[in-house]
């Protein structure tokens, strides 16, 4: 970390980075660092509260909030996924809670990967990246552009699952959700990573056996993006398998501290 990095690093986290205190706080053992959770496209931090609470059994857990939703509703969206990750990193004193374990689901896995790149460049220790049901950077160039019109975005949400259909039927809620998801999809569409880009930290990939959006063969390609070790764990379920396995996934992450 350079002197300029130290000067520009904030001393506290903003209110939109949600902290769930670790239940091992105050123990006499060595610090286990912190876990940082990166939501999927369109999601607010609140939708990952259950996972973060389970992860807090092992360490302080932070859920980041992207712009264009909740308490960042009026903040402008970032141009690309990398810019989003950079903004999230520069918003808080991550070095003070390192080493970090990063957990991202779906697009959040890609945001977490870019966050790891920034952290490593700035000298902040990343212990492991947990990439859940997300596309590895090497396939991004081959992916069709994600939809960005309201109707297309809402159809995409219905196809993905993971959102209560009754909520999607609510006009006000669906408009807010579409705004957030459109911002994230536009940032992803502008993301142009090198297929050979890598981080130094280990990557552990998680996925659903019946995920019709991200095939198991695609999940295996995450191995190209680490100079460390690579592991793959599969759970029963589709793209949002995570909702049915919160405790099991949290236990797996916490056991790896």
């Amino acid at each position: 970390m350079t002197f300029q990095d130290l000067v520009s690093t904030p001393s506290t986290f903003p209110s939109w980075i949600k902290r769930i205190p670790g239940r091992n706080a105050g123990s006499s053992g060595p610090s286990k660092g912190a876990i940082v959770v990166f939501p999927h496209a369109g999601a607010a931090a609140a939708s990952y509260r259950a996972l973060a609470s389970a992860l807090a059994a092992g360490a302080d857990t932070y859920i980041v909030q992207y712009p264009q939703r909740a308490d960042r509703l009026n903040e402008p969206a970032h141009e690309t996924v990398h810019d989003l990750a950079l903004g999230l990193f520069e918003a808080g004193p991550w070095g003070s809670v390192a080493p970090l374990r990063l957990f991202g689901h779906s697009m959040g896995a890609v945001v977490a990967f870019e966050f790891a790149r920034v952290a490593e460049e700035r000298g902040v220790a990343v212990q492991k990246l947990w990439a859940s049901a997300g596309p590895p950077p090497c396939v991004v160039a081959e992916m069709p552009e994600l939809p960005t019109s309201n109707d297309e975005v809402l159809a995409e949400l219905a196809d993905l699952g993971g959102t209560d259909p009754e909520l999607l039927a609510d006009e006000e809620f669906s408009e807010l959700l579409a705004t957030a998801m459109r911002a994230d999809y536009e940032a992803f569409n502008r993301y142009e990573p090198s297929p050979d880009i890598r981080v130094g930290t280990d990557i552990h990939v998680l996925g659903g056996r019946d995920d019709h959006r991200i095939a198991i063969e695609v999940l295996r390609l995450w191995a190209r993006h680490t100079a460390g070790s690579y592991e793959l764990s599969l759970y029963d379920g589709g793209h949002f398998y995570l909702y049915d396995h919160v405790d099991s996934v949290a236990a797996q992450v916490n056991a790896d501290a």
Side-chain angles (χ1 to χ4, degrees), residues 197-212:
I197 200 167
R198 295 197 299 175
V199 290
T201 191
D202 300 339
I203 295 180
H204 196 134
V205 177
L206 305 174
R209 291 187 176 90
D210 301 313
D211 188 346
H212 71 291

Side-chain angles (χ1 to χ4, degrees), residues 57-77:
D60 283 0
T61 300
Y62 297 80
I63 320 169
V64 297
Q65 187 90 277
Y66 307 153
Q68 297 281 287
R69 74 214 68 199
D71 42 356
R72 301 188 72 190
L73 181 62
N74 296 319
E75 294 187 31

Side-chain angles (χ1 to χ4, degrees), residues 5 7 13 44 48 55-56 70 100-101 107 123 131 137 142 148 157 164 169 179 187 190 192 206 208 219 234 237 255:
D5 292 332
V7 169
F13 289 98
Y48 280 78
L55 290 169
L100 306 176
R101 280 173 284 161
M107 190 194 85
E142 304 166 5
T148 55
L157 281 166
D164 188 335
T179 297
R190 299 186 193 106
E192 297 180 345
L206 305 174
L219 293 177
L234 298 174

Side-chain angles (χ1 to χ4, degrees), residues 105 132-133 206-208 235-245 249:
H105 182 74
S132 170
L206 305 174
Y235 288 83
D236 290 338
H239 192 65
F240 285 97
Y241 77 91
L242 182 60
Y243 289 172
D244 296 322
H245 301 282
V249 169

Side-chain angles (χ1 to χ4, degrees), residues 29-229:
S31 170
K32 294 186 177 182
I35 302 169
V36 190
V37 177
F38 299 80
H40 61 273
S47 62
Y48 280 78
R49 183 81 189 189
L51 174 65
S53 295
L55 290 169
D60 283 0
T61 300
Y62 297 80
I63 320 169
V64 297
Q65 187 90 277
Y66 307 153
Q68 297 281 287
R69 74 214 68 199
D71 42 356
R72 301 188 72 190
L73 181 62
N74 296 319
E75 294 187 31
H78 291 286
E79 279 291 305
T80 71
V81 167
H82 177 77
D83 294 335
L84 172 58
L86 179 61
L88 295 170
F89 181 85
E90 292 182 338
W94 296 107
S96 68
V97 297
L100 306 176
R101 280 173 284 161
L102 311 179
F103 186 100
H105 182 74
S106 195
M107 190 194 85
V110 185
V111 181
F113 174 81
E114 288 296 322
F115 187 98
R117 287 183 60 213
V118 174
E120 290 180 350
E121 289 168 359
R122 303 290 180 89
V124 173
V126 178
Q127 182 178 329
K128 182 167 283 192
L129 168 63
W130 293 80
S132 170
C138 61
V139 307
V140 169
E142 304 166 5
M143 294 176 65
E145 283 216 339
L146 297 171
T148 55
S149 74
N150 267 26
D151 289 346
E152 289 175 322
V153 165
L154 291 175
E156 177 86 348
L157 281 166
D159 178 66
L160 281 169
T163 304
D164 188 335
E166 290 187 8
L167 291 176
L168 288 178
D170 182 282
E171 187 174 343
E172 183 176 355
F173 177 84
S174 63
E175 176 62 29
L176 289 171
L177 190 55
T179 297
M181 194 163 181
R182 184 167 52 249
D184 294 344
Y185 273 14
E186 288 175 349
F188 189 86
N189 286 340
R190 299 186 193 106
Y191 178 55
E192 297 180 345
S194 163
D196 301 319
I197 200 167
R198 295 197 299 175
V199 290
T201 191
D202 300 339
I203 295 180
H204 196 134
V205 177
L206 305 174
R209 291 187 176 90
D210 301 313
D211 188 346
H212 71 291
R213 301 299 293 257
I214 305 292
I216 295 171
E217 294 75 23
V218 173
L219 293 177
R220 291 193 175 103
L221 297 177
W222 275 101
R224 298 182 181 181
H225 298 292
T226 176
S229 68

